[in-house]
Amino acid sequence: MKLEEQLLERSENKCELCQSGESLKLYEVPPQSTSTEDNCIIICDKCLAQIEKREELDSKHWSCLTGSMWSEVPGVQVVSWRMLNRLSNESWAMDNLDMMYLDEERLAWAKAAGGLDNDTDTVELHKDSIGGILQTGDTVVLTKTLDVKGSQLSAKLGTVVKNIRLVENNTDQIEGKIEGQVIVILTKYVRKQG
Ligand SMILES: [Zn+2]
């Protein structure tokens, strides 16, 4: 079964935010590299237009968040949190945000995309040369020929490095194996594949 069909079944052919049944679309909650049923949701055109800021925020419409914020679907939680933040000049939205609980991972995800008017925290993420989010296990391509000190290693532009690891507490660095040797690579010299 295709992902979209799976999600339509989960949502019972309704927008997972406002329950509307009209013009439903699969929304890939950004940022993401692989679409899964956790990070994709079904939403209607009206919700999408406001999420993407093509239409003005209609706070009445978003009273639906009072329900959707309790969804068990991670993507729905994250989008609800983001929209509540954009509505934080409304007292009901603030009250809901106070009640809402996201674990650390989901909170980082929720904060990771633009569109938050009241966003103050910056999230530490490993990003490639064009801003793509990198994760452990990703495959990257070198966008620059690297000089590996004290080695004959050929880390030429275009070299594919599979199964990278993120260097903890340093979002500028990842580790990857080239010709059997693990080296530290700067994220600004790689681009994620796939
Ligand atoms: Zn909707």
Side-chain angles (χ1 to χ4, degrees):
M1 197 158 42
K2 274 170 55 187
L3 184 60
E4 186 164 0
E5 287 166 18
Q6 248 173 315
L7 297 188
L8 279 168
E9 198 174 290
R10 175 180 78 195
S11 71
E12 299 174 327
N13 294 302
K14 285 185 204 144
C15 171
E16 292 189 272
L17 297 172
C18 77
Q19 307 291 312
S20 160
E22 279 169 44
S23 9
L24 299 176
K25 292 194 171 59
L26 180 110
Y27 176 57
E28 299 176 345
V29 182
Q32 60 175 255
S33 49
T34 318
S35 301
T36 67
E37 53 184 326
D38 282 346
N39 65 18
C40 289
I41 63 176
I42 294 292
I43 58 174
C44 69
D45 227 11
K46 183 160 185 179
C47 285
L48 184 64
Q50 294 188 45
I51 288 172
E52 294 186 335
K53 297 187 172 175
R54 285 183 279 114
E55 272 176 31
E56 216 180 313
L57 211 54
D58 170 6
S59 63
K60 270 204 205 102
H61 175 78
W62 293 107
S63 59
C64 62
L65 296 173
T66 306
S68 67
M69 63 185 259
W70 303 110
S71 166
E72 282 171 12
V73 179
V76 176
Q77 291 175 7
V78 164
V79 174
S80 301
W81 186 91
R82 286 179 187 164
M83 294 314 290
L84 284 171
N85 268 280
R86 280 175 59 188
L87 290 156
S88 57
N89 54 342
E90 305 272 343
S91 61
W92 65 266
M94 280 310 280
D95 290 346
N96 279 341
L97 267 180
D98 282 347
M99 281 189 288
M100 196 169 179
Y101 173 78
L102 291 180
D103 64 33
E104 220 171 293
E105 199 185 329
R106 280 178 202 169
L107 192 60
W109 177 23
K111 290 178 178 176
L116 295 181
D117 297 334
N118 297 348
D119 191 9
T120 46
D121 297 313
T122 47
V123 183
E124 300 287 307
L125 287 170
H126 288 69
K127 291 183 182 164
D128 70 5
S129 56
I130 53 167
I133 310 281
L134 297 170
Q135 283 167 332
T136 292
D138 280 348
T139 299
V140 298
V141 181
L142 301 185
T143 58
K144 183 180 186 289
T145 296
L146 306 179
D147 236 359
V148 184
K149 288 198 183 75
S151 119
Q152 298 293 325
L153 216 58
S154 124
K156 288 204 175 61
L157 171 99
T159 302
V160 174
V161 184
K162 286 183 186 163
N163 202 12
I164 60 160
R165 275 197 38 229
L166 305 182
V167 173
E168 256 179 81
N169 302 321
N170 188 340
T171 55
D172 293 332
Q173 298 183 348
I174 56 172
E175 283 178 352
K177 221 182 225 183
I178 295 179
E179 293 179 356
Q181 195 175 326
V182 175
I183 61 165
V184 170
I185 307 167
L186 296 179
T187 53
K188 64 181 172 188
Y189 297 141
V190 304
R191 186 173 304 166
K192 181 171 174 149
Q193 272 212 315

